[in-house]
Structures are given as C-alpha cells and as structure tokens.
Amino acid sequence: MNQASIHRALQGSLEKDPTKGGLERLFEKRLAANYTLLQQLFFALYPESGHRDAFLRLQKKLHTLFRTRSNELKLQDLRRLGEENWYQSESWVGMQLYVDRFSGNLRGLEEKLPYFEKLGVNFLHLMPLNTRPQGPNDGGYAVSSYTEIDPAFGNDGDLGRLTSKFREKGICLMLDFVVNHTSDEFPWAERARKGEAEYQAYYHTFPDRSIPDQYEESLPEIFPETAPGNFTYIPEMDRWVMTVFNPYQWDLNYTNPNVFLSMLENLVLLANKGVDVVRFDALAFLWKKIGTDSQNLPEAHRLVSLFRLCLQVVAPGVIILAEAIVAPDEIVRYFGEGPLKGNECEIAYNATLMACLWNSVATRKTLLLNRSLRSLPPKPDSCTWINYIRCHDDIGLGFENAHIAALGWDPGMHRRFLLDYFCQRLDWSPAKGVAFMYNPLTGDGRITGSTASLLGLEKALEYKDPQGVRDAISKIMMLYGIIFASPGIPLVYAGDEIGMLNDYSYARDPDKLDDSRWVNRPVHDWETVAGLEARDTPASEIYRGIRNLVSLRRKLPVLADQDNTLVHESGNDHLFVFERGAGGADSLLVIANFDAHPQVVNASWLSALGYVGKGAYRNLISGASKSIRSGLLELAPFELLWLAKV
Ligand code: OTU
C-alpha cells in the first residue's frame, strides 16, 4: 500500500464542499500521513544533527506552496486521486513535440488542438518551454529559469489558456523538470560566478583538479565527442564546476539542503501551471559519489522519493515520470523499493522495450526482446510505462550484455553490428540512421534518426523501391502496433504519424551541427498533413494506421495496465508474441513478424489459447476474419496481428 492509497482513503471522508476548510484540513492530514517518511528521507540525506531548521523550513514551505495552488487544481487533485492510478487507463495516447517546431509557439499549438483530437491524442509532452541561453542550449535542457517561459514560445497567459483548454478537453500535459542541472546563465550560476560562496555551494565547484580527477576515474562521459570530461573551468570564479552534460549545464549539488528546498519550490510552481505529469529529466544523475559512476545511487532514489512525497502533500493529482535511460534492472528501481515501493515515480520510460525492438528490427529475431522482457523485475501495481519507439534523444543500446552473450553473440561485436546496421555502414541495410557520440577507440556509440528513416522509408523513396516502401510502412505500423498494445502509455513522436524522414538541416546550424540528435527533430510538415485525406501516400497510409491503432486501443479495456501481460514462447525466433488479459474473454493476442519472409505459427497452439476457431482467426487491426488453410497461421513479412478471442 503506497502513500497515494493512504491519501485516497483520507480524502474519502471529505465534507461535500472541500474548498470550505476541507482542503486546508486535508493538507494537514496529507502532511501527517507523509510526515514520518518525509522526516526519514530528509534526515537520511541531510543528517538531523545539522539540519533540523532546514526540515522546519521544509514544513513551512509546503504550507506556503499549498496555498499557491489554485482551487481548480486542488479539486482536480481530489478527482485524480479518487480515480485510482488514472494514468494506467487504456484511454491515454501521447505525443511528444517541440512547440516551436510543431506550431511556432503556444498560441499556434492552441490552434492545432483539432489535429490532436482527430488523431485521438490526449496526452502531450511539450519539450522545454523555459528560458534558456540564446546560443547552444541542448534543446532547452539548459534551464535559465524553472518558472519563466521563453518569450519565443509565448507567455504565462498563453500557457494558462492552453492548460485550461487541455483540462476542458481531457488532455494530460507533461512538462520537463530539468532537476539535475541549470544553465550557466541561471541566476544561481551567475551569483556563483561572481564569487558568492552561498551560490557556489548550489553546484559542485572545486578550487583545483584534485577532487574532479578522483571523480573522473569512475565517471563515464555522456557527450564524449562534444563535451569530453565532466568538469569545466570557470575563470571568473577560478574554480572547476561539475558539468556531466554540456559545459553550459552545471550540475546541482543536492548535498546542500537549500538546493532541495529551492528546487522543490520550482517543482510546485511548475505543477501549479497546470502540469499533470512532471518529467524528471536525467534523475539518475542526481547524487554524485567518488569511486562510482554517480548514476542510480541510493541517495538519488531517496531524493526523488522526497520530491514525490512533498509534491503529494501539495498536489497529489500530479505524478512523476522517471527519465532514466539506464540499464533495465535500474529503470524499475525508479518506481521505488522497500518502504518506498510505489512512492518514487509513477511512470518510467520503457527504454528496455524500445532498445530491444530496434535490436529485433536489425536482427529480425526476437530472442533478446523476449529474454530481456522476461527478466525485467516486476513493477509495483501502482506504476506504469511510457512505451515509445523514438524520442528527441538518441537510441542507447540499453540491454544487458549477459543476455546478448547467453544467445551466443559477442556483446561488443553485436553492438558494433547494430551501429553498422542503423548508421549506414552496411550496404544491404535499409536504415538511414546517424551515429551519435561514436567513440572509435571503444566502438561505443548511440544511434539517431527518425523512425521512418531508420526503418527504410527514406532509402526506399530515394531508390524508388516500391517493395522497400511497403516494407518500411509495415515495420512502422508493426512497431507502433506493439507499443499501442503494451502495458503503459504509448507515446507517438511528432512526425512519426506521417512518416517524416531525417531532417539534415541541423548540419548547417553552428549551434546544432555537432549534435546529430537534431536529425530527428523536424519542423512539422503541415503541407503533407493538408494532403493526408486526399492522396494515397506513405504519409496518409501511416497516418490512417496510427489513427486506427488509437481508436482500437480505446475500445479495449484489457489494454489498461493491470499487470496483465504475458510474453509467449511461440517457437519461432522471428515472432514476438504477447497476450493481454490471458484467460479472459476480452483478452488480446499480439503477434509480430520481424522477418522479411513469411513466418508461421502453430494454429493448434492458437486454438488452445482461444484465438483460432473453426479454422479462422479475427484480426482487430484489419477488422477482418481470415481462414487458415493448413495447420499453420501465416504472417506476411513485418505483419502485425491483434487477435481477439473467436
Ligand atoms: C536527457 O537525456 C534529455 O532527454 C536530453 O535531451 C538532455 O540532453 C539530457 O538529459 C540533459 O538534460 O539523461 O537518462 O544520451 O539521451 O543524456 C539519460 C543523451 C538522459 C541523452 C541522455 C538523457
């Protein structure tokens, strides 16, 4: 039983009109319910002997922040908390987009609401809107204010109007909370640079290289090509500052309780703008320790849980997404463990599924996918996934070497093959991906590129290869059909719904040319959108396919994430087979063929599961029943089936 269920019980007894004193009293009840855990977490991070006053400041701050939250949002909190685990519903379908590249600005986005409604998207991840340096700014992840909107996107009034429209239409809003670092133009950084010791203590700063060098012995590099090392010398203050990401992104020092208290305020002020899901960016990096890789440390988990339990006292209807693109076993830990199980993040990116799907595209086999999914530790029943194919970042090959080796492959060679396959180093590969942070010394590297370009559409159009075009479209629909049927919220990366290809214009922009992730951050192609209904193009076929998946998913309550997923061994290494709601009348069996050749599965097995009867099966995606002429059900190359019980 997690704290959310305690709060649900607490509010159950609320008087009819909660705004009259009820909410105020409810705040006290919520604080009391979380108090013990809050105190344990706080003093575990900031020893009581030296931080009693900071804990008192925390309690006062929570009360003040509660008062800053509007009654409308407080009532939404009550409703959300009352709808137990609302975020696990099959009704959610998400889209991730850059407001400027999709619609110019926030006002432009308001005009695009019909586009989302027509497609069926009701969950929007808007990329960072906050003010950022004018030059390189990591796509907005170099934050110069956590509360001010960059004028390029609009202002608070525009966001306020948009979020109230979202609430009206039942659209869920996710915004980033870049919790690990600020830009070097953030007010705290400016004051640190001017020599104010109080603000130098907001970051990890050092007078010389002795401690940075100790850190470097075990710290990996995130951007080895463009930002080697993890520390940057700042002449104005004659000190080194920790910069795990880019030199203009200064890592915050959470051993300083003032950082936590200030960032908690920034978190609540962000939530009070009408945000429903807060994406904790790079939360794996929050706590640093010499002799470790300073990722996924226990203190980082305690810190995230402390944020979570504080936010819950003030705004229990707002939930947290863990952006932890790390090893599979580590990701699940962001849902909370032990007494913190279900008290850390409600949602996490399913980076393991994403990476394994791309591995299956390259190998046409599903062995690693099945093995990795099977070995994922179970997640708390109050948590769920964001399932995605592509996002604004690179594809990290985040699967375990042990699983690769268990399949008889050499992990190093296999990773090299994947980079060669996706990054245009194998002539026969249809993929047109771009290498990201490739290190020729170690062979390490990541991959970027749009879904359509990575799956062969770009190359097929280039070479006027109709079969290649058909295969690419089938693969796009197969991958999205898998995530639409998977437990969690499917997230469409804006542009994928119309098969947008790589955008190479970044190579002409001095602020972007050394970050190939920009190849997959296109300006939305509204001209293609205008022609979707009229013409029969790859874009219109993909768009109709995605829209069909959205509407199908909404009609299938079995797709809600009720911990009801079973990965089957089909006996065919090219097929990925999983079942939702096994044993129930409304269950769904998903079969995906990753091979370029037809593949078969034993019809008597499917019949025993209840999906083949009288020699036929019902595929919900095509809406048609199909008869089987032999003892085998045949799948075309890259075909995806959603089978209902017959
Ligand atoms: C996250 O990145 C964001 O998604 C990236 O866009 C930012 O560059 C980065 O943080 C810094 O804010 O934190 O858990 O491989 O995919 O760093 C991993 C590069 C992250 C990013 C990775 C990711």
Side-chain angles (χ1 to χ4, degrees):
M1 184 168 177
N2 66 353
Q3 293 301 107
S5 39
I6 293 172
H7 292 283
R8 202 168 7 266
L10 279 176
Q11 78 178 21
S13 59
L14 204 64
E15 287 81 23
K16 274 192 289 313
D17 179 357
T19 54
K20 294 231 171 357
L23 287 168
E24 196 62 27
R25 281 212 345 271
L26 191 55
F27 166 79
E28 286 142 25
K29 286 183 182 178
R30 288 173 184 162
L31 181 58
N34 284 9
Y35 194 88
T36 308
L37 263 178
L38 280 181
Q39 193 178 46
Q40 282 167 358
L41 287 167
F42 191 86
F43 289 139
L45 292 164
Y46 310 110
E48 185 172 359
S49 52
H51 297 101
R52 272 198 203 93
D53 82 296
F55 187 62
L56 285 176
R57 279 191 288 136
L58 171 60
Q59 295 172 62
K60 287 198 189 92
K61 187 179 282 286
L62 287 172
H63 208 175
T64 311
L65 291 171
F66 176 75
R67 290 216 179 95
T68 64
R69 190 162 175 81
S70 73
N71 273 349
E72 182 188 7
L73 291 179
K74 286 175 180 170
L75 291 172
Q76 176 174 274
D77 289 336
L78 295 178
R79 281 196 304 279
R80 279 257 157 91
L81 205 53
E83 300 157 30
E84 188 170 359
N85 305 335
W86 53 272
Y87 40 88
Q88 293 180 328
S89 162
E90 74 284 359
S91 67
W92 296 115
V93 172
M95 181 171 273
Q96 173 190 3
L97 60 92
Y98 283 90
V99 170
D100 52 345
R101 306 173 84 78
F102 187 84
S103 57
N105 55 32
L106 289 166
R107 283 171 187 257
L109 190 63
E110 202 174 325
E111 289 154 24
K112 296 299 179 190
L113 289 182
Y115 182 71
F116 301 121
E117 286 169 307
K118 196 166 177 187
L119 190 55
V121 163
N122 61 356
F123 179 110
L124 287 174
H125 173 206
L126 306 185
M127 299 304 282
L129 302 170
N130 38 277
T131 52
R132 72 288 300 278
Q134 288 309 304
N137 57 53
D138 191 17
Y141 283 97
V143 173
S144 296
S145 163
Y146 286 101
T147 50
E148 276 165 45
I149 294 169
D150 193 292
F153 296 106
N155 55 40
D156 264 329
D158 299 329
L159 183 59
R161 220 181 15 264
L162 191 67
T163 54
S164 51
K165 277 268 175 69
F166 281 6
R167 282 191 296 280
E168 229 174 81
K169 296 173 182 298
I171 294 175
C172 187
L173 172 62
M174 177 160 81
L175 289 185
D176 280 89
F177 185 53
V178 185
V179 63
N180 178 67
H181 44 266
T182 72
S183 80
D184 60 359
E185 294 178 12
F186 196 89
W188 302 338
E190 297 291 4
R191 297 181 71 167
R193 195 195 303 274
K194 288 187 188 115
E196 290 188 52
E198 181 188 355
Y199 289 95
Q200 289 179 355
Y202 269 55
Y203 301 95
H204 300 273
T205 70
F206 308 94
D208 55 44
R209 286 291 312 189
S210 53
I211 295 184
D213 290 345
Q214 290 177 51
Y215 270 110
E216 287 291 13
E217 281 166 25
S218 55
L219 269 185
E221 292 175 323
I222 303 297
F223 301 132
E225 275 183 345
T226 53
N230 290 281
F231 296 86
T232 302
Y233 178 68
I234 310 296
E236 298 91 322
M237 59 184 186
D238 188 22
R239 293 178 75 84
W240 292 82
V241 64
M242 185 182 262
T243 55
V244 164
F245 293 94
N246 291 294
Y248 50 78
Q249 291 169 301
W250 292 15
D251 287 64
L252 285 164
N253 176 6
Y254 280 97
T255 64
N256 176 351
N258 295 330
V259 171
F260 170 71
L261 291 169
S262 304
M263 287 299 282
L264 173 66
E265 181 158 344
N266 288 325
L267 170 61
V268 174
L269 294 179
L270 175 71
N272 286 351
K273 290 179 185 289
V275 177
D276 303 297
V277 182
V278 182
R279 177 186 183 273
F280 266 48
D281 179 70
L283 79 178
F285 298 80
L286 288 183
W287 202 269
K288 325 290 183 180
K289 198 174 278 179
I290 290 172
T292 74
D293 62 1
S294 292
Q295 292 185 35
N296 310 314
L297 293 178
E299 293 88 348
H301 287 284
R302 286 192 201 111
L303 190 63
V304 176
S305 292
L306 185 56
F307 271 118
R308 154 78 276 157
L309 293 170
C310 287
L311 182 65
Q312 190 173 56
V313 171
V314 176
V318 179
I319 60 173
I320 295 178
L321 163 68
E323 191 271 334
I325 314 304
V326 292
D329 286 359
E330 290 293 350
I331 296 177
V332 178
R333 297 178 56 205
Y334 284 93
F335 292 132
E337 294 176 302
L340 295 177
K341 185 175 173 188
N343 288 321
E344 193 169 332
C345 301
E346 281 81 4
I347 312 182
Y349 282 108
N350 199 343
T352 307
L353 174 63
M354 179 275 295
C356 290
L357 288 175
W358 286 109
N359 179 76
S360 291
V361 165
T363 61
R364 300 181 179 173
K365 297 266 178 75
T366 59
L367 299 159
L368 185 62
L369 174 60
N370 287 338
R371 181 180 285 268
S372 301
L373 293 184
R374 279 228 180 75
S375 55
L376 265 185
K379 62 177 171 63
D381 55 16
S382 63
C383 299
T384 197
W385 296 108
I386 287 263
N387 295 309
Y388 66 114
I389 302 300
R390 286 294 289 121
C391 70
H392 68 295
D393 275 334
D394 47 294
I395 296 171
L397 303 175
F399 24 69
E400 304 289 351
N401 281 346
H403 292 324
I404 300 174
L407 298 171
W409 300 334
D410 169 88
M413 284 309 295
H414 184 62
R415 290 173 186 280
R416 177 61 199 264
F417 157 70
L418 293 172
L419 287 171
D420 291 346
Y421 173 90
F422 284 115
C423 299
Q424 308 179 55
R425 296 194 193 115
L426 295 172
D427 291 342
W428 53 268
S429 166
K432 284 205 79 168
V434 179
F436 178 70
M437 296 299 151
Y438 176 63
N439 184 336
L441 293 178
T442 63
D444 273 350
R446 289 107 83 180
I447 298 153
T448 189
S450 82
T451 297
S453 294
L454 286 164
L455 293 177
L457 185 58
E458 182 174 338
K459 194 167 184 179
L461 291 171
E462 211 173 296
Y463 287 86
K464 297 184 176 36
D465 164 10
Q467 183 57 51
V469 170
R470 275 193 298 281
D471 286 350
I473 294 172
S474 299
K475 286 187 239 178
I476 292 168
M477 296 322 306
M478 178 176 71
L479 293 190
Y480 268 99
I482 288 170
I483 67 164
F484 269 83
S486 294
I489 300 170
L491 196 64
V492 177
Y493 185 68
D496 279 359
E497 81 282 6
I498 52 174
M500 285 190 74
L501 306 177
N502 289 343
D503 172 359
Y504 299 98
S505 63
Y506 79 98
R508 297 191 297 276
D509 180 333
D511 287 342
K512 298 188 171 85
L513 58 85
D514 62 5
D515 184 346
S516 63
R517 288 176 294 171
W518 284 100
V519 81
N520 183 39
R521 296 174 180 178
V523 175
H524 208 67
D525 179 355
W526 292 105
E527 195 185 322
T528 293
V529 171
L532 284 176
E533 303 299 348
R535 288 194 288 279
D536 207 8
T537 61
S540 53
E541 192 174 337
I542 294 164
Y543 177 81
R544 284 195 300 272
I546 297 279
R547 199 169 53 182
N548 181 42
L549 289 172
V550 174
S551 105
L552 271 177
R553 173 181 164 89
R554 284 232 166 82
K555 293 174 190 151
L556 298 170
V558 74
L559 294 183
D561 184 7
Q562 305 302 334
D563 209 11
N564 61 343
T565 307
L566 183 63
V567 177
H568 283 292
E569 265 310 340
S570 69
N572 182 325
D573 293 348
H574 298 288
L575 301 183
F576 177 43
V577 184
F578 65 95
E579 189 172 10
R580 303 295 313 274
D586 65 346
S587 62
L588 184 81
L589 189 75
V590 178
I591 312 178
N593 175 15
F594 276 85
D595 197 7
H597 303 289
Q599 288 294 338
V600 293
V601 60
N602 187 328
S604 52
W605 174 56
L606 296 176
S607 167
L609 290 176
Y611 295 98
V612 166
K614 298 192 187 76
Y617 63 88
R618 194 154 59 94
N619 176 18
L620 294 182
I621 290 182
S622 61
S625 288
K626 202 169 171 185
S627 59
I628 299 174
R629 297 192 311 279
S630 73
L632 300 168
L633 183 153
E634 184 178 311
L635 286 103
F638 312 119
E639 184 177 16
L640 175 83
L641 297 177
W642 281 18
L643 297 188
K645 286 279 176 70
V646 291

